[in-house]
Amino acid sequence: EAEVAQSPRYKITEKSQAVAFWCDPISGHATLYWYRQILGQGPELLVQFQDESVVDDSQLPKDRFSAERLKGVDSTLKIQPAELGDSAMYLCASRSPAKAFFGQGTRLTVV
Amino acid sequence: GESVGLHLPTLSVQEGDNSIINCAYSNSASDYFIWYKQESGKGPQFIIDIRSNMDKRQGQRVTVLLNKTVKHLSLQIAATQPGDSAVYFCAEIPAGGTSYGKLTFGQGTILTVHP
């Protein structure tokens, strides 16, 4: 069964450092999402792509976060510089056109 | 603003009982609803979905009910098992408007199944 792949699974970084997460969606899925999930809460959308275009990044802190999906397939989410408050689970999901599936996420700890 | 929320944050049941998890939504433009199960440290796992032109959909041990009149969604789990213990989220996808295609989650319900 096809899955959304994310790496790394876990990342520990010092504050002010740069960190990047990678996502490979299910083949053929045009829509890709990045979410941030704080423990005990629901996932919150950071950015939504349709193919290589950003559809919604209204909740992305653009002073430190960036996301790209250059060829409309895999995607990278970057944080620079990381802050203590960025510690969370970062989830990637893909959808086409109905069901949306998630990867296992990247657990980020900023120390 | 638009939101998807849950009535009950926690639910405890005995093994073998049926479980019902509820969800309220506010965006009448939502066309598509999904229930997810999330275990500790893992990503949300797709359980079942329903489109807005349906009232009920059944899967294996799960049933989703949609009441568009009161904007209410529920997930019924039959013969709940300890392995069903997790956080359950409902999510919606609007078919139009400024939130077209945006997958929005509620806060989740923690289901605990006691042996």
Side-chain angles (χ1 to χ4, degrees):
Chain A
E1 182 175 289
E3 295 182 342
V4 176
Q6 286 190 250
S7 66
R9 283 296 310 277
Y10 305 94
K11 179 70 177 179
I12 300 174
T13 191
E14 294 182 346
K15 61 181 180 179
S16 80
Q17 295 298 304
V19 63
F21 315 128
W22 177 78
C23 173
D24 190 10
I26 294 172
S27 179
H29 282 197
T31 305
L32 183 148
Y33 308 90
W34 281 102
Y35 287 85
R36 177 169 59 187
Q37 185 176 27
I38 296 170
L39 192 63
Q41 299 183 17
E44 296 180 331
L45 181 69
L46 291 174
V47 62
Q48 176 184 344
F49 288 93
Q50 183 67 25
D51 298 309
E52 68 276 7
S53 300
V54 173
V55 173
D56 184 348
D57 63 356
S58 58
Q59 299 303 309
L60 188 71
K62 299 181 187 64
D63 57 334
R64 298 185 300 107
F65 286 64
S66 64
E68 60 182 17
R69 193 185 184 197
L70 294 177
K71 297 182 179 179
V73 181
D74 58 337
S75 177
T76 303
L77 178 69
K78 298 179 181 178
I79 308 175
Q80 182 175 17
E83 296 180 353
L84 296 177
D86 296 331
S87 295
M89 174 79 88
Y90 289 83
L91 295 162
C92 178
S94 69
R95 177 174 72 90
S96 180
K99 295 178 173 61
F101 296 95
F102 282 78
Q104 290 302 312
T106 296
R107 169 68 69 185
L108 174 67
T109 302
V110 182
V111 297
Chain B
E2 299 166 355
S3 66
V4 177
L6 297 174
H7 293 302
L8 301 175
T10 61
L11 178 64
S12 292
V13 300
Q14 291 296 126
E15 182 178 2
D17 288 350
N18 296 331
S19 301
I20 300 176
I21 301 171
N22 297 301
C23 175
Y25 66 94
S26 59
N27 189 348
S28 58
S30 288
D31 177 58
Y32 186 62
F33 302 88
I34 307 174
W35 279 101
Y36 289 95
K37 171 187 179 183
Q38 188 174 26
E39 297 174 289
S40 181
K42 297 184 178 180
Q45 176 187 354
F46 178 97
I47 301 174
I48 192 168
D49 62 321
I50 188 168
R51 298 209 77 111
S52 59
N53 61 353
M54 303 170 67
D55 297 322
K56 179 180 180 179
R57 189 165 188 215
Q58 289 184 295
Q60 187 175 18
R61 285 202 304 118
V62 295
T63 301
V64 55
L65 299 177
L66 176 62
N67 186 331
K68 294 181 287 293
T69 301
V70 295
K71 297 179 184 175
H72 184 266
L73 193 69
S74 68
L75 177 70
Q76 299 178 359
I77 305 174
T80 315
Q81 303 169 0
D84 295 327
S85 294
V87 180
Y88 289 80
F89 292 97
C90 63
E92 61 174 340
I93 302 177
T98 57
S99 297
Y100 173 74
K102 180 178 179 179
L103 180 63
T104 302
F105 283 80
Q107 286 299 306
T109 292
I110 301 172
L111 175 65
T112 303
V113 182
H114 300 284

